[in-house]
Amino acid sequence: MDDGVTRRRVLTLLGAGAATLGMAGVAHADPGTSRRCRRIPRHGIGMHLYTVRDILNADPLGTLTTLADIGYKCVGVSAFNLPAAEIRDLCRQTRLNPVILHVGHGDITGDWAAKLADAKTIGVKWVVTASFPEDMYTVEGIRLAAQQLNEAGREARKLGMGMLHHNHDAEFRVVDGINLSDILFGETDPRLVGFELDLGWATRAGMDGWQLFHDNPKRFPVLHVKDHNGQGAWTDVGQGVVPFAHIFDQADRAGVRYWLVERDDQPAPVD
């Protein structure tokens, strides 16, 4: 490994000089930000596979081996065009723990039993809706989505898995004076549904991750650790404007167990 600040190192800046996530899994906050040293367990540091989707499908074993060699311990499964049993076997071979599987809204309203069977085969802890159809981002649509998540979560729990929803910016739109995320948090059953907070999209929508964590305790077991430059472009973690140290101060209250690095565009995704 080189000594640069790149995705090739798990040593990644978490917030513009405010904190560092190291190979030992420690985030050191500077005195002006926090008095505490936040420890992030090594087994909780991973990569969401959407970040490497092109090279992953061109060379599945080689890509997963590279991620393991970098130091990642777990992965979020997405955009992986192989049968569930093959994904499971590749993860076992490379000793990467598959913690989540992203699914479409059509999966939870369609043959949900089949998709849950795939998730069980892969061995994930949570199944995650990646987004909702655009026409559902209304007050009525999100209320329906919350009900559907509850129903899907009930079925997932029967198989020993949890149900999460992953946000983009649309979940935080204000429609008729209501922030749509308030409906999702308020009308989903915490026993059945949690959330995978995408920090990049949430901050682009003007939301404060610290406040979301504080207001919705124990509902965010998985994060997408993503950064942007404040002008609409994605960037590597620590090179943008997302205040990770500030947000992570509430990670325990939020119930965070896995930190999955993600970048939606793919410039040199494992460099």
Side-chain angles (χ1 to χ4, degrees):
M1 293 184 182
D2 59 76
D3 291 327
V5 181
T6 67
R7 277 163 291 170
R8 180 163 292 280
R9 291 180 62 87
V10 181
L11 180 63
T12 307
L13 292 182
L14 292 183
T20 301
L21 173 61
M23 289 296 293
V26 181
H28 303 282
D30 70 29
T33 305
S34 174
R35 296 180 181 178
R36 291 177 294 171
C37 175
R38 178 160 302 286
R39 180 168 294 276
I40 298 176
R42 291 180 59 126
H43 72 265
I45 301 170
M47 170 72 78
H48 192 65
L49 294 179
Y50 185 75
T51 306
V52 295
R53 55 196 178 275
D54 287 350
I55 62 171
L56 174 69
N57 288 297
D59 181 8
L61 178 58
T63 302
L64 293 180
T65 298
T66 297
L67 294 179
D69 289 345
I70 289 170
Y72 292 110
K73 302 298 183 183
C74 57
V75 292
V77 178
S78 176
F80 202 165
N81 301 324
L82 287 176
E86 292 186 37
I87 295 173
R88 175 201 62 202
D89 293 345
L90 285 165
C91 289
R92 287 178 178 175
Q93 186 174 348
T94 53
R95 297 186 178 181
L96 290 168
N97 179 21
V99 293
I100 60 170
L101 172 66
H102 269 212
V103 301
H105 176 260
D107 291 313
I108 69 171
T109 59
D111 192 352
W112 186 223
K115 187 57 66 172
L116 286 176
D118 285 345
K120 192 70 175 178
T121 295
I122 295 170
V124 301
K125 293 178 174 64
W126 297 276
V127 188
V128 186
T129 43
S131 64
F132 303 124
E134 178 59 31
D135 62 5
M136 290 191 73
Y137 289 100
T138 64
V139 171
E140 296 78 11
I142 291 299
R143 286 201 165 117
L144 174 60
Q147 295 172 15
Q148 292 169 337
L149 287 173
N150 285 333
E151 294 166 4
R154 188 173 293 109
E155 295 305 309
R157 187 168 69 168
K158 292 177 182 177
L159 295 177
M161 295 178 289
M163 184 78 215
L164 307 178
H165 178 67
H166 164 271
N167 66 277
H168 291 86
D169 53 354
E171 281 77 2
F172 302 106
R173 289 176 187 165
V174 176
V175 179
D176 298 332
I178 301 173
N179 191 306
L180 297 180
S181 68
D182 290 340
I183 298 174
L184 285 174
F185 295 138
E187 298 190 16
T188 52
D189 185 338
R191 298 169 298 178
L192 302 174
V193 180
F195 297 90
E196 178 189 36
L197 187 65
D198 187 308
L199 296 173
W201 281 111
T203 58
R204 277 178 57 161
M207 303 303 293
D208 180 352
W210 188 100
Q211 195 66 52
L212 290 171
F213 287 173
H214 183 270
D215 293 345
N216 302 280
K218 304 303 179 186
R219 299 208 69 183
F220 302 96
V222 184
L223 301 182
H224 272 180
V225 181
K226 183 186 297 180
D227 212 344
H228 63 94
N229 67 359
Q231 300 177 348
W234 302 118
T235 187
D236 284 341
V237 172
Q239 302 301 295
V241 300
V242 177
F244 293 105
H246 165 71
I247 294 169
F248 289 172
D249 185 60
Q250 290 288 304
D252 290 344
R253 179 176 175 83
V256 179
R257 294 171 57 186
Y258 294 95
W259 289 253
L260 302 181
V261 175
E262 187 187 36
R263 182 165 170 168
D264 285 2
D265 54 358
Q266 304 180 88
V270 293
D271 286 345

